[in-house]
Amino acid sequence: MPRRPTVSPDRILAVAALEFAERGYAGARVDRIARRARVNKAMLYYHFGSKQALYRALLRQIFSSAAGRLHAIATSEAPPDQKIDRVIGEMAAFIAEHAFFPAIMLREVAEGGAHLDRDTLKALAGVPLAIGAIVQQGVAQKTLRSVHPIAAYFTMFAPILMYLAGTPIRKELAARHLGDMSSLPPDLFVQQLQRSVRLAFAVPRTRQPARHTRHHPHRTSHLAR
Amino acid sequence: MPRRPTVSPDRILAVAALEFAERGYAGARVDRIARRARVNKAMLYYHFGSKQALYRALLRQIFSSAAGRLHAIATSEAPPDQKIDRVIGEMAAFIAEHAFFPAIMLREVAEGGAHLDRDTLKALAGVPLAIGAIVQQGVAQKTLRSVHPIAAYFTMFAPILMYLAGTPIRKELAARHLGDMSSLPPDLFVQQLQRSVRLAFAVPRTRQPARHTRHHPHRTSHLAR
DNA sequence: GTCTATACTTCGATAGAC
DNA sequence: GTCTATCGAAGTATAGAC
C-alpha cells in the first residue's frame, strides 16, 4: 500500500482519513481535504459527490479491511485463546498501519452511526462479530471461561483503541506538566493487555465449591514477562 | 457571587451536555442549545460568552465531578483490589447519572483536547491519576500483580466507556438486523468487567500456599447505588 | 436580565469554461 | 478530468430596545 497514492480518489481518501480522524465529521472541512490532497474542490465532488458520500466510502473501506483481517484469524485453525492473543496483536498492527483508525472508530461510536448507511454499518459490525465468533467458540469448547461475547469484545478492544487514540492528549498533558501519562510505549501496552486478557478469560484451574466461588488464574508458565 | 437567575445557567449547561455528547463540539449548534434550554441565544452568550467557553465550563465541571468521586475511593481505607472493584462500580453509577459522559469523553480523547484550556485538561487528567494511584499502591504492597498504571487505567475504563457510549449504535445495528449486539444489559456488563479485571490484576497464585498473607482479596460486588 | 433583529463569516456545493 | 468563480444556506456572535 503506497504511502503516497498517485490516483486522485485514493489520495483524497487517504487525506480524508486524516482530516476526519482529527476533526470528526462535522469539524472536517472539504476545502482542507481538497487542498491537502492537492486536488481542486470541484474534483473532489466529481469523484465522491458529497462530503457524506466521501465519509461513507472511507469508513466502508477501513472497517471492511479491519474486519477482514480479524475474520481471517477467527476462521483460522488455532485454539481460541491463541486467536485472542493474535487478534489483539493484529489490531495493534492494523492501527500501526492506519494511525487514523482509533480516532475515527471512537468518534463513530459516540456519534451513534448518525452519518452511516446500511452498508457502512454492516462493515463496522464485522469487527465485533469476528471477535464474538472466537469467544463463543472458546466458551463452547471450554478453552475459555464463560464470558459474554460482547463483554469480551469491549474488554479486548476498547483499551487498545482508547490508548492509541489518546496518544495526542497524553502528549498534551505531558507538555503542560499535568501528569506523566506517556511513559508506556505501545508495544509494551499491547503485551500488558494481552496478558491481562489471557488471565481474565482463562478457564479457572480448580473449582472451589465454597459459598462464593473465587476463580484463580492459572498458567503460571506465562508469568515470565 | 450571588446570582438569582430566573433562568438558570445550570439549565443551559445541562442541555449543552446532551448536545455536545450527541454531536460533538463542531457539530453542536448554539441555536439548538438555546432552544432546548428554553432561553434566548443572546442569553446564552450573556452567561457564557462563547460556544467554546460554554464547552470548557461544561467539561471542567463534569471531569472534576468524576475525578472527585474516584479520588475519594482512591484515598479511602480499603485494599487496592477492593478499590478497583469499587471504582468500576462507581464509574458505572456516575454514568448512570450522567448518560452523556461517555460520548463526551470519547470525543475529547479523539479530539486530542483541542478545545480545552489548561484548567479543563487538568480536570480531565484527574480521572486517570486517581486510578493510577490505586494501582501503584496495590502493586507496591503486592496485593496486585505488576501492572503499569496506564495500562490498568485503560483496561478498566475503556471497556465501560465504549460499551455505554456505544448503546445507540448497537440499537441501530439491531434495528437494521445487522447482528444482535444488544443482549447484554449494563449491570451484567459491569459485573463481567469487574470479574475480568479482578482476574487480570490478581497476584499470581504461587504453587505453595503462602504462610502469612496479610490482606486477602475479597470478592466484592460494588455496583454502587 | 431578556428579547428581536441582524451583521459577519464560513462552509458545502455547483455552474460552466477548457 | 480539471479548473475558476461564486451562490445560497447555515453558523457564531452582537447591537440595541426594553
Side-chain angles (χ1 to χ4, degrees):
Chain A
M1 194 176 189
R3 260 187 78 84
R4 197 104 226 193
T6 49
V7 186
S8 290
D10 291 343
R11 220 171 48 234
I12 293 171
L13 277 174
V15 169
L18 302 179
E19 177 78 5
F20 284 122
E22 285 170 16
R23 318 239 180 190
Y25 179 80
R29 296 294 167 247
V30 175
D31 279 302
R32 202 157 31 209
I33 295 173
R35 183 163 39 76
R36 288 168 77 174
R38 301 192 315 280
V39 301
N40 195 278
K41 187 165 56 159
M43 202 65 247
L44 187 153
Y45 280 97
Y46 173 80
H47 283 300
F48 292 96
S50 73
K51 181 185 184 179
Q52 188 179 61
L54 170 61
Y55 186 69
R56 289 174 174 175
L58 169 67
L59 265 63
R60 254 199 321 275
Q61 187 184 6
I62 190 68
F63 286 135
S64 297
S65 172
R69 283 165 70 160
L70 300 183
H71 188 73
I73 296 176
T75 56
S76 69
E77 289 293 336
D81 59 336
Q82 263 184 43
K83 286 185 185 176
I84 284 180
D85 231 52
R86 282 177 56 196
V87 151
I88 294 176
E90 183 72 14
M91 199 61 184
F94 184 84
I95 296 173
E97 297 164 26
H98 309 86
F100 54 86
F101 180 78
I104 285 185
M105 183 86 179
L106 256 55
R107 288 185 192 275
E108 205 46 48
V109 168
E111 209 90 278
H115 310 285
L116 305 186
D117 55 4
R118 193 187 148 85
D119 280 352
T120 312
L121 282 169
K122 187 173 178 180
L124 188 155
V127 175
L129 286 178
I131 311 308
I134 295 177
V135 174
Q136 276 184 313
Q137 186 195 12
V139 172
Q141 71 185 47
K142 306 221 191 285
T143 48
L144 300 179
R145 67 170 254 260
S146 173
V147 200
H148 193 290
I150 304 296
Y153 166 68
F154 283 101
T155 304
M156 296 165 59
F157 272 35
I160 195 162
L161 279 177
M162 286 199 68
Y163 168 79
L164 290 173
T167 304
I169 206 169
R170 286 199 302 280
K171 290 226 167 91
E172 186 67 27
L173 291 176
R176 291 176 186 245
H177 306 96
L178 290 171
D180 181 14
M181 240 76 86
S182 306
S183 56
L184 182 63
D187 55 337
L188 286 186
F189 180 90
V190 170
Q191 285 178 23
Q192 295 230 349
L193 179 62
Q194 283 173 323
R195 174 186 290 188
S196 283
V197 171
R198 207 153 47 217
L199 292 167
F201 293 175
V203 177
R205 185 172 55 173
T206 53
R207 224 177 56 79
Q208 295 182 355
R211 302 160 293 167
H212 290 316
T213 313
R214 182 160 163 77
H215 300 275
H216 288 275
H218 67 314
R219 292 172 150 272
T220 48
S221 58
H222 282 230
L223 289 178
R225 165 52 134 187
Chain B
M1 307 320 161
R3 68 162 185 261
R4 36 190 166 109
T6 320
V7 167
S8 168
D10 291 345
R11 206 168 63 238
I12 296 175
L13 277 174
V15 170
L18 301 179
E19 176 78 4
F20 284 123
E22 284 170 17
R23 319 238 180 191
Y25 179 80
R29 295 293 167 247
V30 175
D31 278 307
R32 202 157 31 209
I33 295 174
R35 182 165 39 77
R36 289 169 76 173
R38 301 191 311 280
V39 302
N40 195 277
K41 189 166 53 161
M43 202 66 249
L44 187 153
Y45 279 98
Y46 172 79
H47 281 299
F48 291 96
S50 72
K51 180 183 182 180
Q52 187 178 62
L54 169 61
Y55 186 68
R56 289 173 175 175
L58 168 68
L59 265 64
R60 255 200 319 276
Q61 186 185 326
I62 190 68
F63 286 135
S64 298
S65 172
R69 284 164 71 157
L70 300 183
H71 189 72
I73 296 176
T75 56
S76 70
E77 289 294 335
D81 60 335
Q82 256 185 47
K83 287 185 185 175
I84 284 180
D85 229 48
R86 230 181 263 177
V87 150
I88 294 175
E90 183 72 15
M91 198 63 184
F94 184 84
I95 296 174
E97 298 164 24
H98 308 86
F100 55 86
F101 180 77
I104 285 185
M105 182 87 179
L106 257 54
R107 288 185 192 274
E108 206 46 49
V109 167
E111 209 90 278
H115 307 98
L116 305 186
D117 55 5
R118 193 187 149 83
D119 280 352
T120 313
L121 282 169
K122 187 173 178 179
L124 188 155
V127 175
L129 287 178
I131 311 308
I134 295 176
V135 174
Q136 276 184 314
Q137 186 195 12
V139 171
Q141 71 185 47
K142 306 221 190 283
T143 48
L144 299 180
R145 76 173 176 88
S146 172
V147 200
H148 192 290
I150 303 296
Y153 165 69
F154 283 101
T155 304
M156 295 165 61
F157 272 35
I160 195 161
L161 280 176
M162 286 198 68
Y163 168 80
L164 290 172
T167 304
I169 206 169
R170 287 199 301 281
K171 290 224 169 93
E172 185 67 27
L173 291 175
R176 292 175 185 248
H177 306 96
L178 290 170
D180 181 14
M181 239 77 86
S182 305
S183 57
L184 181 63
D187 55 337
L188 285 186
F189 180 89
V190 170
Q191 284 178 22
Q192 294 230 350
L193 178 62
Q194 284 173 323
R195 174 183 289 189
S196 282
V197 171
R198 212 181 297 130
L199 293 169
F201 293 175
V203 178
R205 198 167 69 148
T206 49
R207 239 171 274 272
Q208 47 179 358
R211 280 180 43 206
H212 22 268
T213 308
R214 294 238 168 105
H215 293 289
H216 263 296
H218 299 109
R219 183 185 184 281
T220 49
S221 184
H222 289 282
L223 243 182
R225 179 192 192 276

